[in-house]
Amino acid sequence: MTPESPATHGVPAPAPVADGAVTPLVRLAPSSGPVPGVPDRGPARTTPGRPLAGRTTLRVGGRPAAEAVATTAEELVGAVREADAAGEPVLLVAGGSNLLVADGDLPHTAVVVASRGVRREPVDACGGVWVTAQAGHPWEELVAETTANGWLGLEALSGIPGSVGATPVQNVGAYGTDVAATLATVRTWDRRDGRLRTLAVGDLGLGYRTSRLKADPDRYVVLEVTFQLREGEVGAPVGYAELAARLGVAVGERAPAVEVREAVLALRRGKGMVLDDADPDTWSAGSFFTNPVLEPAAAAALPEGAPRYPAAGGVKTSAAWLIGAAGFERGHGLPGPASLSTRHTLAVTNRGTATAADVLALAREVRDGVRDRLGVELEPEPRLVGCSLG
């Protein structure tokens, strides 16, 4: 496919629309408006930066040099173009659920992606339901809306914090599915070429927690994302044993999508993976480490009982299992300012007073312990800004 071609999944795609044209839309929520060919209303107003601890789910992060809050796709493109023209580094911030930002003063202009709105595209019924959401729209709100409308495919991704625009970057996934299963197109601003560009799902290089967007993080700004969903009441076959058990079905069987969503939310809450202002176990970036994909020989050398799953490029194992096997228990680090969650060893949490340095120190201790005791190098899942694990 060419970068401008639509992803069809074997069915008709939305009729092509020239950049700048306005199509008839079925509104589901207040929309930020059409994406123009060339922004003509200027960027969002730039103000002095505020500490990013208030914009990230880890609740840490220093002060950027400036901040621009973009409530429309036009403002988003304009703010990024203005910062690029001035030679200022740009940090895109939306839900802040996958960021670990350094302490202190930062040279960046923080462009806050606050565009919201969902629309149903006018596509023939045989193509399913095509739903487009603005990049800043909260992901959980989109999942709730689509499931309630009987538009299926996102229900197993309930409760994941963050924005719609971030989901194709990470190819966000949980409970046996990922965004790639329903993704159709991603509308972007190509900073290198200075133009709007629509990337079809086949052009995104989606894999386990990776994509073309993640591999080249300073090139593409996600403006809106289109998903192809099914209509009905019964969700996709349940592919995750823990979820199947919760639903009382066998792996591979189906359950009503509304029940799948409720079960996923219950499971995530039990692990401290649904944001709660009153619960420090949820003050995290979710899973801090990705599940390693190992060479077969390295996987075979793991201790007996280590999970091993076939995966593209090798054998996948469980980062949470490795952390536990290396001697790190839930709550490790308490009563310090940062600790592992008391409910899930994959989450590095801020207990209320942690700095980015505190979070990094704990994550580094866990990474090094797993490497020294089990010979596996864990890789961080959040984007590290102005800092590293060393």
Side-chain angles (χ1 to χ4, degrees), residues 124-369:
D124 187 277
C126 67
V129 179
W130 294 67
V131 175
T132 297
Q134 299 297 305
H137 199 84
W139 174 255
E140 169 60 8
E141 290 187 16
L142 176 65
V143 177
E145 281 185 90
T146 55
T147 305
N149 276 293
W151 302 338
L152 310 181
L154 305 182
E155 58 276 0
L157 301 177
S158 295
I160 295 175
S163 67
V164 169
T167 59
V169 178
Q170 288 286 111
N171 187 23
V172 166
Y175 295 104
T177 189
D178 55 27
V179 167
T182 54
L183 188 64
T185 61
V186 178
R187 193 77 161 146
T188 71
W189 173 253
D190 186 335
R191 296 169 66 186
R192 189 191 72 182
D193 293 348
R195 65 185 179 96
L196 288 164
R197 191 169 184 181
T198 297
L199 299 172
V201 63
D203 298 316
L204 286 167
L206 297 171
Y208 172 64
R209 301 299 177 268
T210 192
S211 70
R212 175 180 179 181
L213 303 171
K214 183 177 181 179
D216 199 354
D218 296 322
R219 179 171 180 180
Y220 298 102
V221 179
V222 176
L223 304 178
E224 58 183 27
V225 185
T226 299
F227 300 90
Q228 184 187 0
L229 307 175
R230 297 183 297 108
E231 288 190 278
E233 297 181 358
V234 180
V238 178
Y240 198 82
E242 184 182 25
L243 177 58
R246 180 87 187 194
L247 289 163
V249 301
V251 173
E253 292 184 349
R254 299 173 183 265
V258 172
E259 294 181 13
V260 172
R261 171 170 162 74
E262 292 172 352
V264 168
L265 287 171
L267 287 171
R268 291 185 64 86
R269 287 193 186 99
K271 298 175 182 178
M273 291 294 186
V274 175
L275 291 178
D276 182 346
D277 285 342
D279 184 1
D281 268 344
T282 73
W283 302 353
S284 74
S287 298
F288 196 91
F289 298 103
T290 59
N291 290 323
V293 178
L294 307 175
E295 295 290 336
L302 291 175
E304 184 178 355
R308 298 173 177 85
Y309 311 102
V315 179
K316 183 188 293 187
T317 189
S318 164
W321 188 93
L322 294 172
I323 290 168
F328 298 100
E329 299 180 349
R330 298 172 186 176
H332 177 83
L334 289 174
S339 79
L340 298 184
S341 166
T342 65
R343 286 179 275 177
H344 200 298
T345 56
L346 261 184
V348 177
T349 66
N350 179 353
R351 308 315 291 187
T353 61
T355 63
D358 295 324
V359 173
L360 286 166
L362 177 60
R364 191 177 297 117
E365 179 190 0
V366 171
R367 181 205 59 184
D368 292 352

